[in-house]
Amino acid sequence: LKKRLLGPCVTFFPQPATLIATRDNDGKVNLMMASWVGIVSKTPPTIAVSLHHNRKTLANILDTGVFSVNTVTSQIAAAADACGLVSGKRADKRLLTGLKIVPGVLEGTPLVAASTLNVECRYQRLVELGDYRLVMGEIAEIHACDRAFDDQGQGNVQVFDPLVYLGGLREYWSLGEKQGDAYRAGLAFLDQEEA
Amino acid sequence: LKKRLLGPCVTFFPQPATLIATRDNDGKVNLMMASWVGIVSKTPPTIAVSLHHNRKTLANILDTGVFSVNTVTSQIAAAADACGLVSGKRADKRLLTGLKIVPGVLEGTPLVAASTLNVECRYQRLVELGDYRLVMGEIAEIHACDRAFDDQGQGNVQVFDPLVYLGGLREYWSLGEKQGDAYRAGLAFLDQEEA
């Protein structure tokens, strides 16, 4: 493919559209839209979230030791985007968007009720990266939308409806079609080699 | 939404389906399928990739100091998946899958020609997380598919066609429909508040 050079920037996709939910020391909930989020270890299960150092969300995590990562679906896309438009220092974003908060299993962890997946975390450690802080959270519990599972326990992606954020393009997209099963789609190449 | 508890696991989605391309000290290219990948800082532009400590890809990055993160599209999904099925220690995955490699701007960085986005990185530092190593790469250059851009320089998501990996479900999905513009979709909530 013919390419054009974009320079050293952060255009990379797809990344997950998520809401990070935290509380301050007074128990007030803050929601922040974030896409610099992902799994980083299985031993133990760990998720990492990169936050600008002056974020209220970062202060809340360091104060309370817990947070949750909540998937953004098509249904709550506009409400979630609103959480990216105002600072938790200035406005009560829950009032603004009507997103209902429910408790997790860890004391004080707020979860977004409408999200199809809530990843509940204990703060583990922090890595400084320029103006950003990479926050590692040990996954304590994952709450998944019950009706997304069939009788065999297989999850239906379309019910989860996790939105993707396209960095650089600044767009949210839903998923379209399944293109293959991991650890299976490539078997054709191996058979070819062995033939 | 009614939820079921999955316990402390790494079911989190969506994550980007990527190929990490590296060379060993003899110049031999290795390709690895990875989805534990994401942007972690803008100061400077930095991408992080989490790798099991015994991966050939990790050894190659530490030996050569460079690597690239390449998007997986529908067209190369099966070939990319094959790279997740065999170890680079055992097989030459390029021979196996026919993926063409082109040079980057940094000496020795291999890029996957068929990928619509190549993120070229200098190794920066490493964080130990149990059996995994979170590798930070400073982004030196991003190569983007030229024909994805219109005359105004706006990128077309469908041309980029970046696949999403659904962790836990072990499925690759393409994108479907745009659900909104970031920093715009939420404006309706703000107007409401001010009214």
Side-chain angles (χ1 to χ4, degrees):
Chain A
L1 292 177
K2 192 186 166 198
K3 302 283 166 69
R4 69 169 66 178
L5 302 185
L6 304 184
C9 60
V10 294
T11 295
F12 174 69
F13 42 72
Q15 301 215 166
T18 74
L19 282 169
I20 311 297
T22 57
R23 276 184 209 279
D24 66 15
N25 278 331
D26 296 327
K28 191 184 147 197
V29 173
N30 187 53
L31 297 177
M32 176 195 158
M33 189 78 179
S35 67
W36 292 1
V37 177
I39 298 291
V40 290
S41 182
K42 259 200 291 216
T43 52
T46 307
I47 200 165
V49 180
S50 184
L51 302 167
H52 193 272
H53 69 83
N54 71 9
R55 283 285 191 175
K56 176 75 173 153
T57 293
L58 179 62
N60 284 357
I61 293 172
L62 297 178
D63 281 348
T64 65
V66 293
F67 64 100
S68 71
V69 179
N70 307 271
T71 53
V72 172
T73 62
S74 306
Q75 213 182 347
I76 63 170
D81 188 63
C83 296
L85 292 170
V86 266
S87 165
K89 293 171 184 161
R90 289 198 298 113
D92 187 327
K93 286 184 247 186
R94 270 193 307 157
L95 273 182
L96 215 60
T97 59
L99 290 170
K100 195 179 155 196
I101 298 297
V102 291
V105 297
L106 300 176
E107 195 182 329
T109 320
L111 310 180
V112 177
S115 290
T116 48
L117 203 69
N118 316 108
V119 181
E120 199 176 344
C121 305
R122 266 184 214 96
Y123 169 70
Q124 193 189 71
R125 62 195 275 200
L126 182 147
V127 176
E128 287 199 19
L129 294 164
D131 293 340
Y132 294 82
R133 302 293 178 265
L134 190 62
V135 172
M136 315 287 179
E138 186 175 333
I139 299 174
E141 187 60 82
I142 296 188
H143 309 248
C145 175
D146 194 61
R147 68 182 177 80
F149 296 92
D150 66 16
D151 293 345
Q152 281 74 50
Q154 178 63 20
N156 182 326
V157 174
Q158 265 142 352
V159 178
F160 281 117
D161 183 29
L163 290 199
V164 163
Y165 179 63
L166 286 291
L169 307 176
R170 294 189 157 202
E171 295 174 359
Y172 304 115
W173 282 65
S174 56
L175 300 182
E177 285 177 34
K178 180 171 159 180
Q179 297 294 327
D181 287 304
Y183 308 101
R184 280 194 180 186
L187 286 174
F189 286 97
L190 302 191
D191 294 346
Q192 196 180 310
E193 183 77 350
E194 284 160 10
Chain B
L1 292 177
K2 193 187 165 198
K3 302 283 166 69
R4 68 170 67 177
L5 302 185
L6 303 185
C9 61
V10 294
T11 293
F12 176 71
F13 47 75
Q15 302 217 169
T18 74
L19 282 168
I20 311 297
T22 55
R23 278 184 208 278
D24 65 16
N25 279 331
D26 297 327
K28 192 183 149 196
V29 173
N30 187 53
L31 297 177
M32 177 194 157
M33 189 79 179
S35 68
W36 291 1
V37 177
I39 298 291
V40 290
S41 183
K42 260 201 287 219
T43 53
T46 307
I47 199 165
V49 180
S50 184
L51 302 167
H52 192 272
H53 68 83
N54 71 10
R55 282 284 191 175
K56 176 73 173 156
T57 292
L58 178 62
N60 284 357
I61 292 172
L62 297 178
D63 281 348
T64 65
V66 293
F67 64 100
S68 71
V69 179
N70 307 271
T71 53
V72 172
T73 63
S74 306
Q75 213 182 348
I76 63 169
D81 188 64
C83 296
L85 291 170
V86 266
S87 165
K89 292 172 184 160
R90 290 198 297 112
D92 186 327
K93 286 184 248 187
R94 270 195 307 156
L95 272 182
L96 215 60
T97 59
L99 290 169
K100 195 181 155 195
I101 298 298
V102 291
V105 296
L106 300 175
E107 195 183 327
T109 321
L111 310 180
V112 177
S115 289
T116 49
L117 204 69
N118 316 107
V119 182
E120 199 176 342
C121 306
R122 268 184 213 94
Y123 169 70
Q124 192 188 72
R125 62 196 276 201
L126 182 146
V127 177
E128 289 200 19
L129 295 163
D131 293 340
Y132 294 82
R133 302 294 177 265
L134 190 61
V135 172
M136 315 288 179
E138 186 176 332
I139 299 174
E141 186 60 81
I142 295 187
H143 309 249
C145 176
D146 194 61
R147 70 183 176 78
F149 296 92
D150 66 15
D151 293 345
Q152 281 74 50
Q154 179 63 21
N156 182 324
V157 175
Q158 265 142 351
V159 178
F160 281 117
D161 184 29
L163 290 199
V164 163
Y165 179 64
L166 286 292
L169 306 176
R170 295 191 156 200
E171 295 175 357
Y172 304 115
W173 282 65
S174 56
L175 300 183
E177 284 176 36
K178 180 171 158 179
Q179 297 294 329
D181 287 304
Y183 308 100
R184 282 193 180 186
L187 286 175
F189 286 96
L190 301 192
D191 295 347
Q192 194 180 308
E193 183 77 352
E194 284 158 10

